Amino acid sequence: MNGKLNISPGLPPPDISRIQESFGMVASHGEQMVSRFYDVLFDKFPEFQTFFPQSQLSRQYAAFLNGLRTLILHMENPQKLRSILVQLGERHKRYGIKNKHYPPVVYALVQVLTELGGEGMDGKTYDAWESF
């Protein structure tokens, strides 16, 4: 692997809708969602705690939620989304994040969305988030 991000040119419109709708159902619980996300991430993958100093965690919560909202907002514009993802990837690379670190993050996010989204997180929506 060459270390470059493999970013698809765009998601199918039904997947975009599923992701946006499911996020809309939990967005009003943003702080709870993010707090739970880090609980799940650190519980299942304790090695991730080294990337997030406890003293900066509240700032990280806000950054994560804002970043997620920005990604959701630009999902229908693949060029803009790609640009945002590349910038995000470059920033995370400086923190020592590697491609292998992304699947656990997706796992934790999907788990929390499933917990908070209830019936809005059906199988197709779950798959859409994993593809995103």
Side-chain angles (χ1 to χ4, degrees):
M1 176 170 261
N2 62 10
K4 296 210 180 226
L5 290 176
N6 181 15
I7 301 172
S8 65
L11 293 170
D15 284 356
I16 291 172
S17 294
R18 286 182 183 100
I19 290 170
Q20 289 174 332
E21 289 171 15
S22 62
F23 183 73
M25 287 192 279
V26 299
S28 63
H29 306 289
E31 289 182 26
Q32 177 189 2
M33 180 190 71
V34 174
S35 176
R36 183 70 184 125
F37 164 79
Y38 283 101
D39 287 346
V40 171
L41 183 66
F42 295 159
D43 183 54
K44 285 293 255 186
F45 308 97
E47 65 274 15
F48 275 72
Q49 291 181 39
T50 61
F51 293 115
F52 304 100
Q54 196 67 28
S55 63
Q56 298 177 7
L57 210 48
S58 63
R59 189 170 58 175
Q60 179 59 35
Y61 284 11
F64 180 80
L65 186 56
N66 288 335
L68 191 54
R69 284 182 173 143
T70 299
L71 292 173
I72 301 296
L73 179 67
H74 294 290
M75 289 186 78
E76 294 174 18
N77 183 340
Q79 293 80 16
K80 178 72 173 171
L81 182 61
R82 179 177 173 66
S83 173
I84 293 167
L85 287 170
V86 167
Q87 290 173 14
L88 195 59
E90 288 299 320
R91 193 172 24 209
H92 281 83
K93 187 177 177 181
R94 289 193 299 263
Y95 297 127
I97 304 296
K98 300 182 182 340
N99 287 349
K100 69 179 183 177
H101 295 118
Y102 290 104
V105 170
V106 171
Y107 169 85
L109 180 60
V110 172
Q111 291 304 308
V112 171
L113 291 169
T114 301
E115 285 177 22
L116 298 177
E119 294 177 18
M121 277 296 284
D122 62 12
K124 288 183 179 182
T125 303
Y126 190 97
D127 291 345
W129 273 101
E130 284 196 324
S131 297
F132 179 45

